[in-house]
Amino acid sequence: MFEPAQLRSFLAVAETLSFTKAAERLGLAQPTVSQHVRKLEAAAKRVLVARDTRDVRLTDNGDAMAGFARSILSAHDAASRYFSGSAMRGRLRFGTADDLAITGLPRILREFRQVYPQINLELTVGQSDQLYKRLNAGQLDLVFVKWVAGAKDGTVVQQDSFAWVGLEQTSLDPAEPVPLIAYPSPSLSRKLAIDALESAGRTWRITCTTRQISGVLAAVRAGIGVAVMPASLVPEDLKIITRRFDLPPVGEVDFTLIRNPLANTEVIEALTQTIAGRTLRRPA
């Protein structure tokens, strides 16, 4: 009922929200992509993409079709590789920063495992600096970490800014130390937060130290203090309070994939391409 070529064009539009960018990604002419989407809408008997002169967005049916398209194409590609004898095999030791693991990354990894069922994916979740050390020690093949913008070579998946985060009812007295919720040292967000405060002449005190993003979020929600995290990862029930209390800017951050040059290049490239170009949504 649904042609793979049409599904690929639609999914490219769904992920880029642009017919032009979708055409560039697929190496097709823009009219061809538009035709594929129209034919898919005709086959589904539903409007999937709402478009006007200014923007492109998915309808509710389009959101549903995007999920089906990924599953259909994953199964299609896996079957093609299996019966052509080209199914990729091997082990991939993948490490990710814990706050990146609570975005859309698990769904992306699930899609990867559906497409490459014969790759043994081993997942490690931790802090960026620890993962990077394990990569250099040869204990991991690929890591997905947060670094100061431009600080490390690798594939940048997403760029963001660090932000101060608290409750809607958070109250900070400028004469009192800033109550800081942070990861243990060494930690990128901890170091940048403290450096920013001290450069601005603000005093601070650690009110909670935790090794997991779940602990950071729990402490912020309990009103114990404020934290620094990438703006795109701030949950909807918390607020960015940087301007409200004139807190100093912390800096830019890259979500970066870094590979072990001695590991299986083909397997690493497969996961890199699966993650790259995808927008990571904030946690619920």
Side-chain angles (χ1 to χ4, degrees), residues 1-3 6-11 14 36-37 39-49 58-73:
M1 181 177 180
F2 302 123
E3 293 292 332
Q6 297 170 14
L7 291 171
R8 292 188 197 282
S9 290
F10 166 73
L11 202 53
H36 284 171
V37 172
K39 287 184 176 180
L40 185 62
E41 289 179 321
K45 298 182 176 63
R46 300 286 192 282
V47 175
L48 305 176
V49 180
L58 297 186
T59 64
D60 290 344
N61 287 318
D63 283 330
M65 179 59 80
F68 289 128
R70 292 187 180 98
S71 297
I72 293 169
L73 291 174

Side-chain angles (χ1 to χ4, degrees), residues 106-260:
R107 173 178 49 80
I108 296 172
L109 295 179
R110 183 170 66 251
E111 294 170 10
F112 176 80
R113 295 188 69 247
Q114 290 172 345
V115 177
Y116 302 103
Q118 298 188 60
I119 293 179
N120 181 15
L121 181 64
E122 299 176 3
L123 179 63
T124 299
V125 178
Q127 293 185 33
S128 293
D129 61 304
Q130 297 170 345
L131 295 172
Y132 188 66
K133 289 178 181 178
R134 294 191 62 181
L135 181 80
N136 288 333
Q139 298 171 357
L140 294 172
D141 303 316
L142 180 69
V143 295
F144 191 26
V145 293
K146 306 189 306 295
W147 292 120
V148 174
K152 297 289 183 182
D153 292 331
T155 300
V156 177
V157 175
Q158 187 169 315
Q159 295 180 319
D160 202 351
S161 299
F162 279 116
W164 292 93
V165 180
L167 291 171
E168 175 66 40
Q169 59 269 36
T170 293
S171 176
L172 296 181
D173 184 340
E176 296 294 326
V178 174
L180 185 60
I181 298 164
Y183 292 108
S185 182
S187 157
L188 176 63
S189 59
R190 177 191 177 110
K191 180 180 186 305
L192 292 180
I194 292 173
D195 287 349
L197 289 170
E198 293 184 344
S199 295
R202 297 287 295 268
T203 57
W204 54 274
R205 62 188 177 91
I206 298 294
T207 57
C208 177
T209 301
T210 176
R211 295 184 179 276
Q212 299 179 335
I213 185 61
S214 58
V216 172
L217 297 178
V220 175
R221 287 168 175 148
I224 294 174
V226 298
V228 163
M229 63 187 300
S232 65
L233 303 187
V234 178
E236 293 182 357
D237 64 319
L238 300 179
K239 304 297 179 183
I240 294 176
I241 60 172
T242 307
R243 293 183 179 178
R244 190 198 306 178
F245 298 108
D246 195 29
L247 292 167
V250 181
E252 306 297 310
V253 59
D254 286 342
F255 301 167
T256 306
L257 286 164
I258 306 176
R259 63 183 65 193
N260 181 343

Side-chain angles (χ1 to χ4, degrees), residues 68-88:
F68 289 128
R70 292 187 180 98
S71 297
I72 293 169
L73 291 174
S74 292
H76 180 275
D77 292 345
S80 296
R81 281 189 294 272
Y82 182 88
F83 288 107
S84 67
S86 60
M88 197 180 300

